[in-house]
Amino acid sequence: MLIENPKTYKGQEADTIFFRPSFCGKSAEELGIRVLYNLPVPTTVQVWSHAGNVLQKYAGGWNGGSKSKKFQKTIDMRKVKAETSFAASDYFSIVFEQITGSADVNMGDLTGTDLEKAETELFRRAIAESVRATMWLGDTTGQVSSFTTFNGFLKAIKDASEEGVIDNSGMAYSQYEELDSAMLTFDTVWNAAAEELKSLRPEGNLAYFATSDVVRLYESELDSSTTEAAYRERIDGRAGLSYHGIPVIEVALGKYDAQQKYGKSFCMLTDRRNMVLALNTADMPENEVRMWYNPDEMENRQRAVFLAGADILDTRIVSVCMIGIE
């Protein structure tokens, strides 16, 4: 059995069905960063900093001090396309499995709508994961990463840490040869952080972004405690990790060889709002999502075209430790 009906989504339909469910609301929160969706291109982020002490002795007239300073960063947006293809028989099996896992599908009356939902979910997951991986590993030069569609956060860190640049970036940067202790790594990153970064802690948006090996080691260190609470957590698991009240967000990149080019692992402390993923599905005529069957090759194909970019707004409020760099 084949799935042959072509499907094309444009404009608001592509936005509603494919992109918004993956990058807005709860999905954006799970990424742990700031997601800008369908803002005008070029996407420019305005960051305002208040003047220092605004209090003055009371007197008539206007005695205002200096104006608030504005920091501006333009996100480099690149036109990208996502494409996948499956042998027709394999594609139907994958889509059919998606359908059978749904409780509200009548397998005796399988309609086109059910098939369409399953196809959509399959492609949407693939797009979301590719964007997530690229926002970390992307390097348009291809010198470090195989993810070349747009630059990612690790590329921004690498550029800022190059010799002669680090002093101007203000970013705290350190290296370990091996990962010995997750807690020691967290402490190293915190102690090296600029006071400007530490002062943001009361606002509740600081987070440690760490690779899976750092997170697993941290869990192991927590398990070594002999308290009853630690025992229950070993049995039931942990809903979320934090260190000294700051959330620890796992950056799962281990399955990608490109991560090894930046280092075996890393841990970074910054404000969530400082890391931006920008997506746009509205400001380009070619924007579309298509799914169709190619009879010549006997395969099902999927394609999506949109704009994407990622960057760190201010490297001065970043503290990072890279581990195992060759």
Side-chain angles (χ1 to χ4, degrees):
M1 184 174 181
L2 303 176
I3 302 175
E4 298 185 354
N5 293 334
K7 304 165 188 68
T8 302
Y9 306 91
K10 291 181 177 289
Q12 186 174 359
E13 191 175 38
D15 171 24
T16 304
I17 294 175
F18 276 90
F19 294 97
R20 195 166 291 275
S22 298
F23 300 107
C24 295
K26 184 178 180 181
S27 298
E29 293 177 3
E30 291 174 351
L31 290 174
I33 64 169
R34 183 178 180 183
V35 179
L36 303 180
Y37 189 68
N38 275 354
L39 291 184
V41 176
T43 300
T44 302
V45 184
Q46 311 287 350
V47 182
W48 293 87
S49 62
H50 296 291
N53 183 8
V54 298
L55 295 180
Q56 301 182 32
K57 292 182 178 180
Y58 178 78
W62 171 255
N63 297 301
S66 60
K67 295 182 179 180
S68 297
K69 296 180 181 180
K70 182 178 71 171
F71 173 73
Q72 180 173 291
K73 188 70 173 284
T74 299
I75 308 300
D76 181 20
M77 302 281 285
R78 301 293 181 101
K79 183 187 296 184
V80 302
K81 66 176 181 176
E83 292 182 334
T84 60
S85 63
F86 300 86
S89 58
D90 295 336
Y91 186 69
F92 179 79
S93 299
I94 296 171
V95 173
F96 191 76
E97 183 179 354
Q98 295 282 330
I99 296 173
T100 57
S102 179
D104 58 352
V105 172
N106 180 3
M107 300 304 296
D109 182 22
L110 194 59
T111 66
T113 301
D114 295 325
L115 288 172
E116 185 174 347
K117 288 180 179 179
E119 284 187 274
T120 299
E121 180 63 20
L122 178 67
F123 195 29
R124 185 168 59 213
R125 289 179 183 177
I127 293 174
E129 175 58 19
S130 294
V131 170
R132 185 195 72 85
T134 307
M135 78 180 186
W136 282 101
L137 300 172
D139 179 6
T140 57
T141 67
Q143 296 178 357
V144 177
S145 173
S146 56
F147 293 84
T148 59
T149 50
F150 61 91
N151 289 327
F153 302 136
L154 293 182
K155 176 65 162 58
I157 290 172
K158 181 178 182 296
D159 290 346
S161 63
E162 294 290 344
E163 185 177 358
V165 178
I166 184 66
D167 293 336
N168 297 326
S169 73
M171 181 179 68
Y173 185 90
S174 55
Q175 293 184 17
Y176 285 166
E177 292 184 0
E178 297 292 339
L179 176 62
D180 297 322
S181 167
M183 293 185 184
L184 176 60
T185 301
F186 294 146
D187 286 338
T188 298
V189 171
W190 173 263
N191 293 333
E195 290 302 321
E196 185 177 7
L197 173 57
K198 294 178 180 178
S199 68
L200 296 174
R201 183 173 182 176
E203 298 183 19
N205 286 298
L206 292 190
Y208 289 103
F209 294 87
T211 46
S212 298
D213 57 339
V214 177
V215 174
R216 296 288 87 80
L217 180 57
Y218 182 42
E219 288 185 315
S220 178
E221 291 171 352
L222 293 176
D223 290 343
S224 64
S225 173
T226 57
T227 64
E228 181 179 352
Y231 173 77
R232 294 309 312 172
E233 287 177 341
R234 287 198 298 271
I235 301 299
D236 301 331
R238 297 176 175 86
L241 290 173
S242 61
Y243 185 68
H244 291 171
I246 300 175
V248 176
I249 298 175
E250 181 175 357
V251 183
L253 299 172
K255 64 181 179 180
Y256 299 111
D257 293 337
Q259 192 223 305
Q260 305 301 321
K261 301 295 184 179
Y262 290 103
K264 293 180 181 179
S265 53
F266 66 86
C267 177
M268 178 173 64
L269 174 68
T270 190
D271 190 297
R272 295 171 184 260
R273 299 165 296 183
N274 193 37
M275 304 171 66
V276 173
L277 169 67
L279 297 167
N280 192 297
T281 63
D283 289 350
M284 53 183 297
E286 304 94 332
N287 163 45
E288 68 171 8
V289 178
R290 294 186 61 214
M291 297 184 290
W292 73 99
Y293 173 68
N294 184 305
D296 294 334
E297 301 294 336
M298 296 181 64
E299 65 181 17
N300 287 83
R301 295 177 175 179
Q302 301 170 322
R303 174 187 291 147
V305 181
F306 55 99
L307 294 170
D311 207 346
I312 295 176
L313 298 182
D314 189 353
T315 56
R316 294 174 300 176
I317 53 172
V318 173
S319 181
V320 62
C321 179
M322 305 299 291
I323 303 164
I325 295 180
E326 297 179 356

